[in-house]
Every structure is written in structure tokens, then in C-alpha cells.
Amino acid sequence: MALLKVKFNQKKRVKLAQGLWLMNWFSVFAGILVFSMGLFLKIELRKRSEVMDNSESHFVPNSLILMGILSCAFNGFAGKICYDSLDPTKFAKWKPLLKPYLTLCFFFNILLFFVALICFLMRGSLESTLAQGLKNGMKFYRDTDTPGRCFMKKTIDMLQIEFKCCGNSGFKDWFEIQWISNRYLDFSSKEVKDRIKSNVDGRYLVDGVPFSCCNPSSPRPCIQYQVTNNSAHYSYDYQTEELNLWRRGCREALLQYYSSMMSSMGAFVLLVWLFEMSVMVGLRLLHTSLESITNPEDPECESEGWVLENSLKDTFKSALENLKKLGKFNQVEAGAEGAEGEEGGKTQTVATVS
């Protein structure tokens, strides 16, 4: 029994073709939006590539760009087919291509669905990328005189100001690295010498943070240095002074920013996928309804259209049988080639003995 079997007359076929033509051009517009979203996400990721450890995060925008291009190409082609289906003489040239085209559409929709899922599932990979990238970026914060790294201070400062964050996972991350350049340290000072000697790696570590960690909404001047020393500042307790420094880490801020962006894009791609599936089903109905016309000379006669010629179960069984036959055919060919090789070897041996 055929799946989704529908009876059509001339009027219904024309309405279906016209509706599909319109839907395909809506899909082309949706493909342009998917392409634009991928391009926008790629630009946003490139803006902060200095604080990202690898290029794995670009897999999502690259996939969106590819799906957008394919969507425009597939739906533009389908729109032309639907337009020509109104004229039997024009439609005749597309008949041999429809089955391969629908097969390609099926695989395209599978890919589109997986791209939508990837938009939701990339959070873990993005988090590890940001964690390592921010860690490396903070290490190079002080290298303002080193070629290739002199921009890192500005990058980190602008990032912390824009996203209202501090450090990798929090402001205490700055206590574990030397973020002040040696150029601005007085090595004749006893305090500087003692701090460097007290550290195993010979680094100048302080319980202070860069100015970009300061919250401008704080009612008091920003306390950048001796952050954990309550006695160094009047009426101060660093554990409760929430308005003085940004408490949120930049990894969390960036992860939330990109995750919400990719989740929104994933939701849109899912809607596009549902729309594409309906277009594919409609195109299949149009294809079968035109092919099942019993009398081509009478265009007004009734015909039947269906999505699958047999039930879903029978179609699945038939596909498995075809795969098994293909496997057996390959085995027979491999066996025949092996037998030919053995016969050739025997013939050569006999010729040598003679």
C-alpha cells in the first residue's frame, strides 16, 4: 500500500505546482538567510580568534554557509521544475532527472537536520576552546613589546570591557600570572625583588587585576591592587564588594554569547528543515501524479500521487535486499578476479615447466 496516496485532477496538479514554485522561492530566501547567519557567526568568531585555542569552532559557521549555498541551488532548480511542470512539453525533459534529484534532496535534508543539531551541541567544544585560548591570551597580556603579541593587551582589555567580565573563570585568575610587563617594574625596589624571589618561577605576582576588570557602576573608586587585603582599604571586604570588579569570568560570558547565538540559529535551521521536508514531499507528490497520468493526450484526466510506492516497512525491506544483492555482487566479482589470477598463475607455471 502506497504511503500518503492522494488523488489529483488537472486543477489540483496546477495548484500544487504553483504552490511548490512559491515555496521553493521562499526556501531560496531562507537559504540566503542561513548563508548570512553562517557568515555573521564566522565574522564574530574571527573577531576573537586570539582568545580561541583552535579552529574547530568554525565548523558551525562553515556548515551554515555550505547549507545556505546548497539550499539556494536545490530550491532554485526545483522552482524551475515546478514552473515547467505546468507545460507537459517542457516537463518531459525533467522527468529522467526527478528521481536522482529527489534522492539528493533527501540526503540534503539529512545534512540540514544534523547541522541544526550541531548548533545546539557545540557548547562543550566551544567551552574548552575558549578556556585554553583565554588562558594563553592572559599569559601574553604583558608582552606589549613582543612582535605578534603586542596587540593582546588591547584585545583582552576590550573583551573585558565589552562583556563585563574579568579573567578566565573569575578575577582571581589574574593573581596566578604575571600580567605586568618587566618594563614597568623597578628591580632595584626591595618589594619587587622579594615578590620575584618568593615565586618558584621568578614571576612578579600580585593580588591585582587590570583596569578593564573595574565596574564603572561601582560607587567607590576601583580597587585594582591588594584586592584580597581588607586592611589596605578603608571600609572594604573583597568577599562582599560585588560592585567593584566584574565577578563573571570571560569564558562564561563568551560561552553564553556564542551559545545563545548558535541556539537561535539552530532553531531557525530546524524551521527551514521542516519547510524543506514539506517542499520535498510536495515535489514527490507532483512527480508521481504527473507520471501516473494514464492518458497523456488528456491533461484533465485524474491521476494518483504518493510519497512512497509501498509502505514504509516494505520500502525499508526492499532497500535492505538491494544492499545485500549489491554486497553479493561485489563478492562474486572479487571471487571471479581471484580465480582468474589463479588460472593465470597455473598457466604461467605450466609454460615454465614445458
Side-chain angles (χ1 to χ4, degrees):
M1 184 179 174
L3 183 68
L4 287 177
K5 199 172 186 179
V6 184
K7 282 190 176 182
F8 289 91
N9 55 27
Q10 173 68 2
K11 190 177 179 181
K12 284 184 178 179
R13 285 193 295 268
V14 169
K15 281 186 176 180
L16 179 61
Q18 289 174 340
L20 284 172
W21 177 83
L22 188 62
M23 288 174 74
N24 274 296
W25 287 110
F26 273 123
S27 294
V28 169
F29 179 69
I32 293 170
L33 287 179
V34 171
F35 174 84
S36 303
M37 287 191 306
L39 199 61
F40 173 75
L41 182 57
K42 195 171 184 68
I43 291 168
E44 284 296 302
L45 288 170
R46 282 199 177 277
K47 278 182 185 178
R48 297 167 187 94
S49 58
E50 294 89 357
V51 293
M52 292 186 177
D53 185 45
N54 53 47
S55 58
E56 285 180 13
S57 52
H58 288 273
F59 179 73
V60 173
N62 290 341
S63 300
L64 290 171
I65 289 168
L66 177 63
M67 287 297 106
I69 293 170
L70 288 176
S71 179
C72 291
F74 275 103
N75 289 292
F77 183 70
K80 174 65 176 170
I81 292 173
C82 293
Y83 182 79
D84 286 350
S85 66
L86 298 171
D87 186 351
T89 55
K90 289 182 179 179
F91 180 71
K93 64 181 179 181
W94 298 116
K95 272 189 177 182
L97 298 174
L98 270 173
K99 276 191 178 179
Y101 172 75
L102 285 167
T103 305
L104 287 174
C105 280
F106 177 74
F107 286 111
F108 166 73
N109 282 309
I110 289 174
L111 283 175
L112 192 63
F113 179 74
F114 278 114
V115 168
L117 286 183
I118 287 166
C119 289
F120 294 107
L121 299 175
M122 279 296 287
R123 182 184 174 91
S125 175
L126 186 62
E127 185 174 9
S128 60
T129 297
L130 286 169
Q132 192 59 42
L134 283 165
K135 187 178 179 181
N136 294 334
M138 288 170 65
K139 284 179 182 176
F140 302 142
Y141 183 89
R142 64 174 181 165
D143 297 339
T144 51
D145 297 326
T146 307
R149 297 178 185 172
C150 54
F151 61 87
M152 191 55 74
K153 179 184 181 299
K154 181 182 177 182
T155 300
I156 297 290
D157 283 333
M158 293 303 294
L159 178 70
Q160 293 188 144
I161 291 169
E162 183 182 351
F163 285 91
K164 298 179 180 180
C165 59
C166 184
N168 191 338
S169 55
F171 68 89
K172 288 185 179 180
D173 292 334
W174 288 108
F175 301 171
E176 300 170 7
I177 61 170
Q178 181 183 335
W179 55 272
I180 301 173
S181 174
N182 288 337
R183 180 181 178 183
Y184 304 107
L185 294 176
D186 182 9
F187 287 98
S188 61
S189 168
K190 185 179 182 300
E191 183 190 348
V192 173
K193 287 179 180 179
D194 289 344
R195 280 193 178 274
I196 292 174
K197 285 179 182 177
S198 65
N199 185 262
V200 177
D201 299 325
R203 293 178 297 169
Y204 182 76
L205 303 181
V206 292
D207 57 340
V209 295
F211 78 97
S212 52
C213 283
C214 295
N215 183 350
S217 301
S218 174
R220 69 183 297 162
C222 184
I223 295 173
Q224 290 178 249
Y225 300 100
Q226 294 185 318
V227 174
T228 57
N229 187 358
N230 292 335
S231 60
H233 313 282
Y234 177 73
S235 183
Y236 175 74
D237 183 359
Y238 85 95
Q239 292 181 330
T240 59
E241 198 82 12
E242 294 181 1
L243 293 178
N244 209 256
L245 300 175
W246 300 119
R247 295 280 168 162
R248 186 170 64 159
C250 289
R251 177 178 55 184
E252 182 189 343
L254 283 172
L255 187 63
Q256 185 178 349
Y257 174 71
Y258 286 119
S259 294
S260 61
M261 189 186 296
M262 286 195 288
S263 295
S264 302
M265 290 178 180
F268 180 76
V269 174
L270 271 179
L271 289 175
V272 173
W273 173 74
L274 289 171
F275 194 75
E276 291 281 1
M277 287 294 291
S278 63
V279 170
M280 187 180 72
V281 169
L283 193 61
R284 175 63 176 166
L285 287 171
L286 180 65
H287 167 224
T288 50
S289 66
L290 288 169
E291 278 199 336
S292 63
I293 293 175
T294 52
N295 185 10
E297 294 179 2
D298 182 17
E300 294 187 4
C301 69
E302 288 190 349
S303 63
E304 290 184 339
W306 55 83
V307 176
L308 293 175
E309 195 169 357
N310 301 312
S311 66
L312 196 62
K313 186 179 178 181
D314 293 338
T315 305
F316 184 69
K317 282 182 179 179
S318 177
L320 282 177
E321 285 174 6
N322 289 333
L323 285 172
K324 285 177 182 178
K325 285 178 183 178
L326 185 64
K328 287 178 181 178
F329 179 72
N330 289 334
Q331 286 177 3
V332 168
E333 278 194 341
E337 285 176 4
E340 283 178 8
E342 286 179 7
E343 285 178 6
K346 287 177 182 178
T347 307
Q348 189 176 358
T349 306
V350 170
T352 307
V353 172
S354 61

